[in-house]
Amino acid sequence: MYQATVGQRGYRFGDLRQLMAKASPARSGDYLAEVAAQSAEERMAARIALADLPLKAFLQQTLVPYEQDEVTRLIIDSHDAAAFEPISHLTVGDFRDWLLSEQADSAMLAQVATGITPEMAAAVSKIMRNQDLILVAKKCRVVTRFRNTIGLPGHLSVRLQPNHPTDSLQGIAASMLDGLLYGSGDAVVGINPASDSLPLLEKLNYMLDDVIQRFAIPTQSCVLTHVTNTLRLMERAAPVDLVFQSIAGTEAANRGFGISLALLAEAQQAALSLKRGTLGDNVMYFETGQGSCLSANAHHGVDQQTCEARAYAVARHFSPLLINTVVGFIGPEYLYDGKQIIRAGLEDHFCGKLLGLPLGCDVCYTNHAEADQDDMDTLLTLLAAAGLTFLIGVPGADDIMLNYQSTSFHDALYIRELLGLKHAPEFAAWLAAMNITDERGRLRDAAANHPLLLALQGERT
């Protein structure tokens, strides 16, 4: 039992799950799950009680039963007690103060990252303002490598997302080359296929690999199909760089995705055996999103932001090259409007970075949400200020296959210009060598005889 008084009224919270849920900022998914605070006063009372909770409590009380959930077992069994020791005496409120202090510099945050559980990260985020989330995330340094170096301070990468509603190879190639000419693609060239046809998926892999190899682009490709399809592609000797999978924060939700920790481990080992990385062996790419556990009726009464943070424990176990939250993609049933989407994006980025992950964000919304592109401009700017690892680049910010609104190649130019952010260094050198950027890293106008444009003309003929 937890309790706190606000004004003249006392509030009681029956267990840790309820306390965490009631302390969460208001969002439609938690109301849908009937776990949200019923008033701003109750929410503040929960935050007061949560601030007084020792961090050690999260190692003694599990929100999802240990016996029923392999994600919980992963969190508890892999906890790094030595890394936790420097902060083990703190309450959640003390933890917030410590994170904002000068003592918690980049080196110290890296040192304690494996000692922080997802529930600890979620708890402290609930008592932090947006500026707190930005400032702490900015101090976190997470660098990963495959064919280039992602996550260096002062850098921002872009996933080039050339989706097509019919998986047209020509249409995908056109969007891909368009993105490259805008300087996008250093995170990954990643396609969401419309089909699960294995022969088609194989063709997409070969097409992406052909462009990357032909022009010696220091980047990686990924066809974002189910992990079982990727395993089959590797068995067929297709040129697979990264293994993709959507993941969630409970075993039951992951079962709904058709995955388990053992299956992810099998895929990781298969990808590592190919030895396609030239600079590193981070071979996994994950996507997450607040509301996925609730949509699968697999949340165990846990609020959606804490469920999201638990998904990061799954990701952390597999040392991914990339992970991003698709923050507004699941819809207004879970994040109703621009305000909720912005807050959720900052929470996700903070929690992921605090746990030691290369967190990116699909700054996005669906057309039936109470949000617009101005909200996305705001979130993009805040996340980039917070040290975002990568964002998504879609032609015109309008994904014509998935039918949602994201960020464009032009948005990447805007945020790089605003904050002086650089491409991955190996990719920046390639852009200069290809005469796509000038000596200052600024975009050049592509000449009609540019090799990439000539290649596109060849694809069309």
Side-chain angles (χ1 to χ4, degrees):
M1 178 72 69
Y2 306 91
Q3 55 188 15
T5 300
V6 176
Q8 301 299 313
R9 183 173 178 182
Y11 290 86
R12 294 185 177 185
F13 308 97
D15 58 23
L16 189 51
R17 270 186 305 193
Q18 186 180 77
L19 178 65
M20 291 278 281
K22 299 290 188 181
S24 287
R27 59 204 51 188
S28 51
D30 289 338
Y31 286 114
L32 182 64
E34 300 181 342
V35 300
Q38 295 305 301
S39 68
E41 188 174 274
E42 184 183 24
R43 184 172 297 110
M44 183 55 66
R47 289 175 178 173
I48 291 170
L50 183 60
D52 289 336
L53 186 72
L55 290 179
K56 289 180 179 177
F58 293 103
L59 301 174
Q60 299 158 353
Q61 305 173 55
T62 59
L63 301 185
V64 182
Y66 182 94
E67 299 78 11
Q68 299 176 16
D69 188 89
E70 68 173 359
V71 177
T72 299
R73 293 194 291 275
L74 175 68
I75 292 168
I76 298 300
D77 295 348
S78 64
H79 181 251
D80 187 338
F84 180 59
E85 200 281 330
I87 58 173
S88 62
H89 61 290
L90 300 178
T91 65
V92 173
D94 294 333
F95 188 35
R96 172 191 176 273
D97 294 342
W98 181 83
L99 288 169
L100 292 167
S101 72
E102 293 183 3
Q103 180 186 355
D105 58 13
S106 297
M108 178 58 75
L109 289 172
Q111 179 182 325
V112 302
T114 54
I116 302 170
T117 69
E119 291 84 355
M120 294 175 193
V124 74
S125 76
K126 296 177 192 299
I127 63 169
M128 299 175 84
R129 292 172 57 185
N130 285 0
Q131 64 176 246
D132 300 337
L133 300 174
I134 293 168
L135 186 60
V136 175
K138 179 72 170 180
K139 295 192 287 184
C140 297
R141 301 278 187 260
V142 184
V143 177
T144 57
R145 294 177 175 87
F146 188 78
R147 291 201 188 99
N148 57 19
T149 306
I150 296 171
L152 293 170
H155 293 66
L156 175 67
S157 294
V158 178
R159 169 187 161 188
L160 202 171
Q161 183 170 299
N163 295 343
H164 193 277
T166 63
D167 289 331
S168 163
L169 296 182
Q170 289 184 338
I172 290 169
S175 294
M176 179 180 176
L177 296 173
D178 183 35
L180 290 170
L181 289 169
Y182 275 107
S184 292
D186 50 342
V188 64
V189 181
I191 300 171
N192 298 96
S195 169
D196 281 332
S197 162
L198 206 63
L200 177 59
L201 297 175
E202 193 168 26
K203 288 180 182 178
L204 291 175
N205 269 281
Y206 275 105
M207 186 270 287
L208 292 178
D209 186 63
D210 175 66
V211 174
I212 289 173
Q213 300 301 329
R214 192 190 323 176
F215 294 101
I217 308 173
T219 191
Q220 37 282 328
S221 67
C222 186
V223 176
L224 282 70
T225 187
H226 193 270
V227 62
T228 53
N229 288 333
T230 305
L231 278 166
R232 293 167 67 191
L233 288 169
M234 287 189 282
E235 290 170 358
R236 294 165 65 126
V240 172
D241 287 344
L242 304 183
V243 174
F244 168 81
Q245 184 55 49
S246 295
I247 57 173
T250 69
E251 179 181 346
N254 283 325
R255 192 183 308 122
F257 284 141
I259 63 169
S260 65
L261 298 180
L263 180 61
L264 294 177
E266 179 187 352
Q268 182 189 34
Q269 290 305 309
L272 287 170
S273 71
L274 301 179
K275 301 183 183 302
R276 292 179 59 81
T278 55
L279 295 183
D281 59 1
N282 300 114
V283 296
M284 305 299 282
Y285 176 21
F286 296 118
E287 281 190 342
T288 66
Q290 288 194 28
S292 58
C293 289
L294 176 57
S295 67
N297 195 28
H299 59 98
H300 296 269
V302 178
D303 67 271
Q304 67 180 37
Q305 189 251 335
T306 302
C307 285
E308 170 73 4
R310 283 169 54 90
Y312 301 156
V314 176
R316 181 167 65 177
H317 185 64
F318 295 101
S319 303
L321 179 76
L322 305 165
I323 171 175
N324 68 264
T325 167
V326 286
V327 64
F329 181 75
I330 302 181
E333 300 86 354
Y334 308 97
L335 295 169
Y336 178 72
D337 57 14
K339 180 179 177 65
Q340 291 188 11
I341 292 171
I342 289 168
R343 173 69 190 192
L346 294 176
E347 289 169 349
D348 294 350
H349 181 251
F350 163 83
C351 288
K353 285 292 183 64
L354 193 62
L355 293 168
L357 285 169
L359 220 294
C361 185
D362 191 346
V363 178
C364 63
Y365 65 101
T366 57
N367 288 311
H368 62 310
E370 290 295 322
D372 58 28
Q373 213 66 38
D374 286 338
D375 295 313
M376 300 306 103
D377 288 349
T378 299
L379 178 55
L380 171 60
T381 304
L382 294 175
L383 285 171
L388 184 71
T389 300
F390 72 102
L391 69 148
I392 308 299
V394 179
D398 183 6
D399 192 300
I400 58 174
M401 195 282 282
L402 293 172
N403 293 311
Y404 78 114
Q405 308 305 309
S406 184
T407 44
S408 69
F409 308 139
H410 302 79
D411 294 328
L413 295 176
Y414 146 73
I415 201 63
R416 285 200 173 108
E417 176 72 18
L418 178 71
L419 299 179
L421 299 171
K422 301 176 182 178
H423 300 84
E426 301 84 359
F427 194 80
W430 178 82
L431 291 173
M434 290 292 291
N435 207 34
I436 295 173
T437 57
D438 62 20
E439 61 279 358
R440 296 178 299 168
R442 300 282 183 88
L443 201 67
R444 295 182 185 272
D445 291 333
N449 62 348
H450 192 281
L452 290 174
L453 291 175
L454 294 177
L456 176 59
Q457 293 172 10
E459 291 288 339
R460 286 175 172 171
T461 57

